[in-house]
Amino acid sequence: MTMKKISVICLFLLSLFLSSCFEVVEDMKVDRDGSGSMTLTVNLSQSRTKLAAIMMMDTINGHKVPERQDIQQEIDKLVTRLNSTPGISNAKGNIDFTSFIAVISFSFRDVANVNRAISNIMDQYKVKGMSAANYSYNEAEGRFSRVYKNTGDVREQYNKLRDRDKEIFSSAMYISIFRFENTITDYSNKLSRVARNQLAIMQRCSVKDLINGKTDISNQIQLSK
Amino acid sequence: MKRALQLVTLLLAGYTGMAQDLAYKIPEKARMVASFKAEQLFRLYPAAEFDTSAMGRELLEKISRKGPADFKSIEDLGLDLKGTIYYYSQHTDSINYDCVLIPIKDAGKVEKLFTEDERAAFTRQNGVTALQNAVNKPLVAWNNEILVVTYGTLNKYFLEDSTNAARYGISKADDYGYDNVTDPVIYTDSAIAIADSAAYYADSAATAAEPLTDIADTATQPPAMEEMPMAVVDSFATVSVEGAENDAAPPVAEDADVPPPPVVESYYFDPNKEKRDSLTKAWVQVYTTGIFNKPAGSSSILANPDFIKRSDKNAIASFWLDNLNSTYAGFLPYYYMRYGSLFQGYGSINARMYMNNDNMRITGELGLDDAKTASYKKIYNRKLNKKFLKYINSDSLIGFMSYAFDTKAYLDEIPRMLNGIYGMYKDETEIGADLFSLLLDEEAVAKVAKGDALFVLSNVSAKEVSYHTYAYDENYEYKDTVKTKTETLPDFLFMFSSEDARLFVKLLEYGIKKGKVTFAHNIYSITSSRKNPFNLHILFKDGIVFLGTSLTDMEQISTDTYRGNLSRQHEELLMKNNMTLYFNPNHLGNKLFEGEFRDLGAIADNLKGMGDVYIKSAGVKDNSVSFDLVSEVPKDKGNALKYFIALMQDISKLK
């Protein structure tokens, strides 16, 4: 009985015992002229013990476990792709394999450029249907909007997952923050909350509800002139 | 539920019985045989009880939906109630056959299992009804006593030989996409195969029986079927496939009336594939005819002493594989065999399953030749270190795994065990093995790790772990914050004997210098990190290396205050065997339920309702390595069969 066998047993037990949990944070800052920056964070820190165990295994639930360098390479590819997207600049990507937090950030010349950038991210990670989100900003009227339409593709893909894979999404959270230079005077999505200084608006929901179309994250935000 | 139904269907097939056991139908050179004794299965789960169970009703409804009849009982299926069902596999150099033999009580009832369309396609000849085998489907045929399912798989390497390919009208030797093989070894073997087959045809011409269908009339006999001389067609012809050169064709009766070629399926794009499928189909039909005509008392598996030795009438199911090495070789082309065989020296593999009110037991053996037996005897000549037993607490442990072999003997035996494995590289392997021995000080290595080890999964406990998240202020600016949460982690203790732990100590001292390891009260500690999700503690004491997750346990071991409590059952299991694996689902279920798994009560309930499971191997005896797997049945579950069916139903509900 080698040490390797022992550690494989321990890792397998860990992957069985530990629950999964993660949060996705979308933080977008829009300047008056429609330019701005965006940071997307996937924080898997709550599952780090399990992930550390999984990362040392070859497969989990029948899926191949990627190597660290493979994950890093994917992020590097995404950054390159984003930097070559029209209107997108200063793209950066980083993953912390100790806390298991991945961060992608970039600047945009116009809010409309973000649509293509998000579409590239979804393509890179082979997520279908999420590209239905559309960001727009009318500088003259001071109106920002995000229109999200759940096409059912994501739900369909989710439903195809095995129960033990679905469990990963059971307590995952999605947090969206939009920040502006002007104050927010009105907004259409009443599930979101405006910050005390009225310069930011946040919405929290479960990833599972987002997938199943139970939560709407579309929002029309009117800014002061 | 689906899995449970599959099991029941399998068992149902064995719910048969007839005056004569069907083993005599199995050829002497069968490579693999499996059997199920229906009478014993239904003694544990009576038919009347099964008919009214949820699973029984569902199964009968499912069968009823398929055919014209409304089945109310498994007895209505026409299968005999007290027999044994057999599966066997026979390999020739040209085709591999997989067959299932099921005894029948009422052929009329059996026919009702088929749909109207299938019944319309039945062919009847000499008391045998057959459902024409479509391409890549098995042939199903039966008479009043037996139902036979035959599946044929053409040996792809057989037709890679250009002589064989030409003989059957296959135009390309590399038809399967493999490289043309020109090694003379192949031609030699193929020539032998052809000679064998020619001899077979000559023999078989003496006794004739009609094949199942007209197509079989057109088929040549497959080679190497010498065991079934009764399986002969009326008039031999080569396979009637267009383009066949027939240079090496077997003898053909002068008055052979060669009918048209086999039916051409419209979807064929590759004419060679069509020819191969025709060949397979025809051979399967001839072979199946042979099974029906094979008389009791003819040469059969019952003449194989190893098969007889390994059989046990009390086993509810059994499995027997003729020879591990030849089975492995059977999957490779001749060409590769010159490189040697990985399993040289290993013989038959067999296993038998027993079920009763207390447990389900699977016992088996892997046969070894004399050289392997001698090697393994030396390697297994070690008992587990008895001092390990002080550190086991039977009342609460979840499981353990132990292993005891002699490191020095193992290292000494490696060169001997490698001999022969690498065939044409035998000389090079011997030199490599000698170098290995020269470079390695077997005795020194054996002092570092003597070869016995015990891994104890002692507990699962709640541990506080930190994680990063974000705290948002009133303006939604956020900062990274560290929070803690409770996770259930397994506690384990791993022990192995070592007379010389200096290497480990040096490594740990190096770790201390690098700030990765701490040392206090004789215990080295490594805190959890990205690469190691556990806090690990290491202790050297009494010639044992301890590696564990519980600092308290380590401190108690270090100060001789650890209080173990080993049951007699666990002690016997550990000390009488060279390898053990033990799992107590009940203990795990109780602990999970207390932890973060309280929402998954169904899993915990299932675990709590399960009996202990263990696997053990006592090493080498009578030229074989034996193993036993025992799954105990909880008191309130009736018997092993009812328990496992209920367990599968419960598990399927979790999905």
Side-chain angles (χ1 to χ4, degrees):
Chain A
M1 184 161 50
T2 63
M3 284 300 288
K4 188 172 179 186
K5 281 182 188 164
I6 294 296
S7 60
V8 166
I9 291 166
C10 295
L11 295 170
F12 176 70
L13 288 168
L14 268 182
S15 68
L16 282 180
F17 289 164
L18 303 176
S19 58
S20 304
C21 188
F22 68 94
E23 59 184 331
V24 179
V25 184
E26 176 194 24
D27 190 334
M28 188 175 186
K29 182 175 177 297
V30 182
D31 296 336
R32 280 192 194 90
D33 64 354
S35 66
S37 61
M38 190 172 202
T39 304
L40 293 166
T41 306
V42 181
N43 181 356
L44 295 136
S45 175
Q46 284 198 59
S47 312
R48 74 185 179 97
T49 322
K50 182 170 186 168
L51 285 168
I54 289 172
M55 288 293 286
M56 294 166 81
M57 297 166 74
D58 293 331
T59 57
I60 177 80
N61 293 355
H63 306 295
K64 190 180 182 308
V65 177
E67 297 286 333
R68 270 180 72 185
Q69 53 266 38
D70 296 338
I71 298 171
Q72 189 62 57
Q73 268 177 18
E74 283 298 311
I75 289 179
D76 293 346
K77 266 196 261 178
L78 176 62
V79 167
T80 309
R81 199 166 168 178
L82 283 172
N83 275 326
S84 62
T85 306
I88 301 296
S89 60
N90 201 27
K92 288 176 191 157
N94 179 51
I95 182 161
D96 173 354
F97 284 102
T98 304
S99 301
F100 289 96
I101 299 172
V103 181
I104 301 282
S105 65
F106 57 86
S107 301
F108 52 85
R109 201 164 53 224
D110 186 89
V111 167
N113 301 136
V114 175
N115 297 323
R116 185 62 187 273
I118 296 288
S119 163
N120 278 345
I121 294 172
M122 295 308 163
D123 278 358
Q124 181 81 19
Y125 296 108
K126 298 179 178 64
V127 181
K128 292 174 189 167
M130 290 295 276
S131 54
N134 192 291
Y135 302 81
S136 64
Y137 176 67
N138 185 323
E139 187 183 350
E141 295 179 8
R143 194 185 311 123
F144 173 87
S145 78
R146 172 170 63 184
V147 179
Y148 174 75
K149 195 175 158 194
N150 189 324
T151 58
D153 288 356
V154 175
R155 186 171 52 220
E156 201 177 305
Q157 287 179 55
Y158 173 78
N159 287 335
K160 281 181 192 166
L161 294 176
R162 286 176 294 189
D163 289 354
R164 55 191 171 177
D165 293 329
K166 282 181 186 168
E167 197 255 330
I168 294 165
F169 297 92
S170 62
S171 51
M173 292 299 294
Y174 168 76
I175 296 144
S176 160
I177 303 167
F178 296 118
R179 304 176 193 279
F180 306 97
E181 290 183 317
N182 288 9
T183 55
I184 297 165
T185 57
D186 196 13
Y187 57 98
S188 65
N189 190 328
K190 299 307 171 193
L191 294 172
S192 52
R193 293 282 175 269
V194 177
R196 177 181 272 261
N197 63 10
Q198 295 193 310
L199 294 174
I201 187 164
M202 177 198 270
Q203 184 177 355
R204 278 172 181 269
C205 68
S206 84
V207 170
K208 199 173 165 184
D209 285 349
L210 193 59
I211 291 169
N212 289 323
K214 287 182 182 169
T215 299
D216 184 17
I217 55 167
S218 295
N219 211 349
Q220 305 277 332
I221 300 162
Q222 183 60 53
L223 305 172
S224 61
K225 292 181 184 171
Chain B
M1 193 65 186
K2 195 178 168 190
R3 276 187 215 155
L5 276 176
Q6 282 169 348
L7 176 77
V8 170
T9 311
L10 192 66
L11 301 185
L12 265 182
Y15 186 67
T16 59
M18 60 186 298
Q20 193 167 30
D21 190 278
L22 296 176
Y24 75 96
K25 295 280 187 187
I26 302 171
E28 188 175 358
K29 289 190 176 172
R31 180 158 286 170
M32 187 193 299
V33 180
S35 66
F36 299 91
K37 286 198 168 60
E39 188 176 15
Q40 295 209 35
L41 288 170
F42 284 89
R43 179 176 52 78
L44 295 169
Y45 208 137
E49 198 177 322
F50 177 80
D51 289 343
T52 54
S53 69
M55 181 188 289
R57 284 200 304 272
E58 191 176 330
L59 182 73
L60 291 167
E61 277 171 23
K62 204 171 177 179
I63 298 170
S64 298
R65 277 200 297 274
K66 187 173 178 276
D70 185 18
F71 297 103
K72 298 290 181 200
S73 167
I74 46 172
E75 298 189 52
D76 296 341
L77 304 183
L79 307 170
D80 211 331
L81 301 178
K82 292 181 179 175
T84 301
I85 181 172
Y86 288 97
Y87 157 80
Y88 74 87
S89 174
Q90 184 181 15
H91 292 202
T92 72
D93 68 342
S94 51
I95 186 169
N96 300 336
Y97 297 104
D98 292 284
C99 300
V100 179
L101 311 176
I102 304 170
I104 284 179
K105 188 177 181 184
D106 185 338
K109 286 181 178 176
V110 169
E111 292 192 9
K112 289 180 182 169
L113 290 166
F114 296 89
T115 63
E116 289 297 337
D117 287 346
E118 287 168 337
R119 286 153 67 94
F122 284 172
T123 57
R124 299 179 196 274
Q125 209 164 18
N126 297 333
V128 175
T129 305
L131 184 59
Q132 183 67 38
N133 55 334
V135 172
N136 296 327
K137 296 278 185 191
L139 171 64
V140 183
W142 63 93
N143 60 14
N144 287 328
E145 295 176 334
I146 177 174
L147 183 145
V148 178
V149 181
T150 314
Y151 189 83
T153 311
L154 212 56
N155 188 338
K156 58 188 177 185
Y157 301 114
F158 179 70
L159 291 176
E160 277 180 2
D161 183 304
S162 57
T163 312
N164 289 339
R167 181 180 170 202
Y168 296 109
I170 309 285
S171 56
K172 290 184 293 179
D174 59 344
D175 190 46
Y176 288 89
Y178 294 89
D179 292 333
N180 278 320
V181 184
T182 54
D183 193 276
V185 174
I186 290 178
Y187 289 111
T188 308
D189 284 356
S190 300
I192 291 165
I194 292 163
D196 282 352
S197 63
Y200 166 72
Y201 296 125
D203 288 349
S204 59
T207 52
E210 288 183 19
L212 288 170
T213 68
D214 292 340
I215 290 175
D217 288 342
T218 72
T220 184
Q221 295 293 303
M225 284 183 58
E226 70 282 1
E227 288 182 22
M228 306 189 93
M230 73 300 297
V232 180
V233 292
D234 282 346
S235 53
F236 290 118
T238 55
V239 168
S240 303
V241 181
E242 273 186 72
E245 292 173 17
N246 299 331
D247 290 346
V252 179
E254 282 181 6
D255 58 347
D257 180 15
V258 181
V263 178
V264 176
E265 304 286 354
S266 59
Y267 58 81
Y268 281 113
F269 294 105
D270 175 3
N272 283 340
K273 179 167 177 6
E274 180 189 355
K275 289 168 190 169
R276 289 197 304 270
D277 286 345
S278 296
L279 201 57
T280 308
K281 196 170 174 178
W283 282 353
V284 163
Q285 287 164 352
V286 173
Y287 188 84
T288 306
T289 304
I291 295 172
F292 283 102
N293 292 330
K294 186 172 168 58
S298 60
S299 168
S300 76
I301 193 71
L302 297 171
N304 185 315
D306 191 65
F307 177 80
I308 297 298
K309 183 183 170 189
R310 306 300 184 186
S311 298
D312 183 349
K313 63 181 173 55
N314 295 318
I316 208 160
S318 64
F319 168 83
W320 176 85
L321 178 72
D322 173 38
N323 185 291
L324 183 60
N325 194 39
S326 61
T327 302
Y328 167 72
F331 288 105
L332 292 175
Y334 312 111
Y335 182 76
Y336 290 106
M337 290 313 295
R338 66 180 184 160
Y339 294 117
S341 174
L342 192 60
F343 297 106
Q344 192 174 59
Y346 295 100
S348 69
I349 297 180
N350 67 92
R352 298 165 300 284
M353 181 196 277
Y354 304 85
M355 283 186 176
N356 57 37
N357 291 348
D358 301 321
N359 60 43
M360 182 275 290
R361 184 165 66 90
I362 297 174
T363 182
E365 293 92 21
L366 165 63
L368 304 170
D369 68 8
D370 290 341
K372 277 274 186 295
T373 301
S375 291
Y376 276 94
K377 272 190 175 168
K378 288 176 190 165
I379 291 167
Y380 285 125
N381 187 25
R382 179 175 290 283
K383 292 283 177 200
L384 200 69
N385 188 338
K386 208 166 182 181
K387 290 177 189 167
F388 293 167
L389 305 185
K390 287 198 292 184
Y391 309 108
I392 300 173
N393 203 327
S394 294
D395 294 339
S396 61
L397 68 80
I398 293 165
F400 59 70
M401 185 161 70
S402 73
Y403 196 100
F405 72 87
D406 190 316
T407 304
K408 185 177 178 302
Y410 177 66
L411 296 172
D412 285 341
E413 291 300 315
I414 280 179
R416 241 185 299 280
M417 291 168 81
L418 288 177
N419 265 348
I421 288 183
Y422 293 102
M424 66 183 285
Y425 297 119
K426 186 169 176 285
D427 293 339
E428 289 86 342
T429 311
E430 277 180 13
I431 293 168
D434 287 345
L435 272 173
F436 176 79
S437 291
L438 193 69
L439 293 172
L440 211 65
D441 182 347
E442 288 90 348
E443 215 154 302
V445 175
K447 277 186 179 174
V448 175
K450 294 176 80 171
D452 58 334
L454 173 62
F455 173 81
V456 183
L457 186 60
S458 50
N459 202 352
V460 287
S461 57
K463 291 196 173 54
E464 209 164 68
V465 294
S466 62
Y467 67 94
H468 291 255
T469 186
Y470 308 103
Y472 300 88
D473 67 14
E474 57 190 15
N475 292 324
Y476 299 153
E477 297 297 338
Y478 57 90
K479 59 180 177 186
D480 195 350
T481 54
V482 177
K483 288 188 176 177
T484 56
K485 67 169 191 165
T486 304
E487 279 184 350
T488 306
L489 290 169
D491 276 327
F492 66 82
L493 177 64
F494 176 56
M495 299 167 261
F496 64 94
S497 301
S498 174
E499 280 179 13
D500 182 1
R502 283 176 302 172
L503 178 67
F504 303 114
V505 172
K506 271 186 184 170
L507 280 170
L508 289 165
E509 294 292 338
Y510 179 73
I512 290 172
K513 277 185 190 167
K514 292 288 173 187
K516 303 283 183 190
V517 180
T518 58
F519 181 71
H521 310 296
N522 293 326
I523 298 165
Y524 294 90
S525 296
I526 305 168
T527 49
S528 61
S529 65
R530 176 173 57 75
K531 286 191 173 178
N532 165 34
F534 299 98
N535 287 327
L536 289 176
H537 309 283
I538 300 127
L539 168 70
F540 305 99
K541 185 177 160 61
D542 301 333
I544 301 172
V545 177
F546 296 88
L547 174 72
T549 50
S550 167
L551 182 60
T552 311
D553 285 355
M554 284 296 186
E555 286 169 344
Q556 288 175 354
I557 292 168
S558 176
T559 54
D560 284 329
T561 53
Y562 187 92
R563 292 284 166 263
N565 177 22
L566 183 68
S567 70
R568 179 176 284 272
Q569 182 210 8
H570 291 166
E571 183 176 354
E572 281 185 5
L573 200 55
L574 288 164
M575 296 312 295
K576 290 187 176 175
N577 295 286
N578 284 88
M579 280 182 284
T580 63
L581 182 68
Y582 169 84
F583 175 52
N584 187 321
N586 188 278
H587 284 173
L588 178 62
N590 283 328
K591 290 170 200 297
L592 289 185
F593 200 55
E594 292 160 7
E596 64 185 281
F597 282 79
R598 60 176 65 83
D599 293 337
L600 299 173
I603 292 175
D605 284 344
N606 270 305
L607 287 167
K608 283 194 279 188
M610 287 169 69
D612 293 3
V613 181
Y614 56 89
I615 302 171
K616 59 180 183 177
S617 172
V620 184
K621 195 180 171 188
D622 297 336
N623 277 46
S624 60
V625 178
S626 63
F627 73 91
D628 271 292
L629 183 154
V630 178
S631 179
E632 291 179 350
V633 177
K635 296 287 177 213
D636 58 338
K637 304 291 182 184
N639 60 52
L641 184 60
K642 287 181 180 176
Y643 165 59
F644 278 107
I645 287 176
L647 187 66
M648 280 189 284
Q649 282 179 307
D650 289 342
I651 290 171
S652 66
K653 282 178 198 162
L654 293 176
K655 284 286 164 192

